[in-house]
């Protein structure tokens, strides 16, 4: 039997946890598969995908900075990838690649199942309007949030993100400078890349109440500044993106293999490897 080839494409990608996660999932079912990390520059991404397909690649995850480029390369798109305008899961089909986005559903699953949060009727503040933010907003709306406020350093990108969602009653953009006037939120999501540059965000304490959950979509060192702010600001829960990472991988895995893996042992193994930091819960 041929071993099927899968990969994660990113830049950089050396430290990606996806190969470990997918191999662990495969082990749960005794599946034989190959899953590698492929570094592709933005200029070389399309060619690298072609090479992978020619060598028998049947599925791929896409991480920074290629999620929007992947969207543009797909012959077919799932509804949620279309709404997000970004793709994190590629599946080979006769016409080329089919694109899906499991990031948002992965985040919602981490928050609702692992953290036992009820998102219905909640007020959510989204910081950032880049690729990571785009990937998660459709799922947050689908989870029943009452109000989604998007703030971005460059305001026009927050406007575009909200226009794309087409739900003006629920999803609105506001200026970063006006954050002090927004009141408090039950969920604050950091989807900016500031932590990747070692930068802390200047956020007002008025965003937080005693029930606020703060979540950073990244994990490890990158998530430190935002999670430190969240704890200092008195958030009830400060969560990094490790759970979302494992859940989005499980959804990709289920899409490719038709089997739903058990995420908990893989999540715990990653925590124990001290890949990420304590979550504050
Ligand atoms: P990603 O794929 O991780 O979302 P991206 O598409 O480059 O990466 O988007 C990065 C996001 O982080 C953007 O929303 C960016 O704001 P701008 O649109 O104004 O560039 C935001 N960001 C990065 N550094 C930031 C900082 N120091 N303060 C506030 N926002 C920042």
């Amino acid at each position: 039997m041929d071993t099927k080839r899968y990969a994660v494409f990113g830049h950089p990608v050396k430290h990606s946890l996806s190969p470990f996660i997918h191999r662990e999932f495969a082990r749960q079912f005794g599946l034989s598969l190959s899953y590698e990390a492929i570094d592709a520059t933005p200029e070389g991404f399309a060619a690298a995908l072609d090479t992978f397909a020619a060598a028998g690649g049947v599925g791929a995850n896409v991480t920074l900075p290629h999620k929007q480029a992947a969207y543009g390369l797909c012959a077919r798109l799932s509804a949620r990838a279309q709404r997000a305008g970004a793709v994190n899961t590629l599946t080979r089909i006769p016409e080329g690649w089919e694109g899906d986005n499991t990031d948002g559903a992965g985040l919602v699953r981490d928050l609702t199942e692992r953290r036992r949060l009820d998102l219905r009727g909640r007020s959510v503040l989204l910081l950032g309007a880049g690729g990571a933010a785009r990937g998660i907003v459709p799922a947050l709306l689908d989870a029943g949030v009452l109000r989604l406020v998007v703030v971005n350093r460059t305001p026009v990108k927050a406007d575009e993100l909200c226009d794309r969602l087409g739900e003006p009653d629920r999803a609105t953009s506001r200026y970063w400078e006006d954050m002090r006037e927004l009141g408090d939120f039950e969920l604050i999501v950091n989807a900016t890349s500031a932590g990747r540059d070692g930068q802390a965000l200047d956020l007002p304490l008025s965003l937080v109440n005693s029930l606020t959950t703060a979540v950073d979509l990244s994990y490890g060192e990158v998530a430190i500044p935002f999670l430190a702010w969240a704890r200092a600001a008195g958030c009830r829960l400060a969560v990094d993106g490790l759970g979302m990472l494992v859940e989005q991988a499980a959804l990709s895995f289920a899409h490719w293999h038709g089997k739903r893996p058990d995420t908990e042992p893989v999540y715990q193994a990653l925590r124990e490897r001290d890949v990420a930091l304590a979550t504050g819960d």
Side-chain angles (χ1 to χ4, degrees):
M1 192 180 72
D2 280 346
T3 298
K4 289 189 172 165
R5 283 191 69 188
Y6 298 86
V8 55
F9 287 79
H11 185 65
V13 79
K14 204 167 72 195
H15 298 294
S16 170
L17 300 175
S18 293
F20 171 79
I21 296 171
H22 279 269
R23 285 178 205 143
E24 287 298 305
F25 288 163
R27 239 159 36 106
Q28 291 180 7
F29 301 103
L31 283 180
S32 156
L33 60 83
S34 131
Y35 191 110
E36 60 196 303
I38 297 178
D39 196 302
T41 61
E43 306 74 47
F45 174 59
L49 262 185
D50 286 346
T51 306
F52 177 65
V58 293
N61 287 120
V62 181
T63 187
L64 299 175
H66 302 313
K67 290 182 185 182
Q68 279 157 268
Y71 172 85
L73 291 171
C74 288
R76 212 191 290 163
L77 290 160
S78 69
R80 60 190 176 185
Q82 215 146 20
R83 281 167 78 203
V87 157
N88 80 333
T89 305
L90 293 167
T91 306
R92 199 67 192 161
I93 55 171
E95 306 93 292
W97 293 106
E98 175 210 282
D100 189 15
N101 196 319
T102 63
D103 282 335
L107 173 67
V108 167
R109 204 179 258 190
D110 182 52
L111 294 177
T112 57
E113 293 183 19
R114 185 168 287 110
R115 315 286 170 186
R116 304 267 170 236
L117 291 179
D118 188 353
L119 295 176
R120 287 170 300 178
R122 304 300 186 203
S123 287
V124 180
L125 176 67
L126 177 63
L127 306 169
R134 284 163 70 145
I136 60 156
V137 281
L140 285 174
L141 291 177
D142 290 350
V145 306
L146 178 71
R147 179 168 84 112
L148 176 72
V149 178
V150 183
V151 291
N152 194 51
R153 185 177 57 181
T154 309
V156 66
K157 282 167 66 180
D159 295 345
E160 280 166 12
L161 188 151
C162 290
D163 287 349
R164 179 181 195 96
L165 291 169
E167 292 205 42
D169 294 338
R170 283 207 291 167
T172 49
S173 56
R174 297 292 298 269
Y175 289 115
W176 191 281
E177 296 75 32
D178 293 344
M179 242 188 293
R180 277 183 175 72
E181 291 145 36
L182 296 180
D184 52 352
F185 293 85
E186 281 129 348
L187 180 67
I188 303 175
V189 181
N190 180 24
T192 75
S193 58
R196 290 208 292 274
D197 306 322
Q199 289 173 358
L201 299 170
D202 180 21
L203 302 169
L205 296 177
S206 57
L207 298 174
V208 172
N209 64 42
S210 59
L211 294 176
T212 301
T213 292
V215 54
D216 196 305
L217 300 189
S218 38
Y219 52 86
E221 281 190 3
V222 175
I224 291 178
F226 178 72
L227 296 184
W229 171 82
R231 292 195 189 101
C235 286
R236 189 176 68 85
L237 196 60
V239 179
D240 71 4
L242 195 67
M244 168 184 164
L245 179 80
V246 178
E247 297 305 329
Q248 64 76 29
L251 292 162
S252 297
F253 187 94
H255 185 67
W256 290 330
H257 307 291
K259 298 172 199 304
R260 187 175 166 172
D262 182 3
T263 53
E264 203 49 32
V266 180
Y267 173 76
Q268 291 303 340
L270 289 171
R271 281 267 172 250
E272 277 158 30
R273 279 167 52 156
D274 207 21
V275 168
L277 300 151
T279 54
D281 56 352

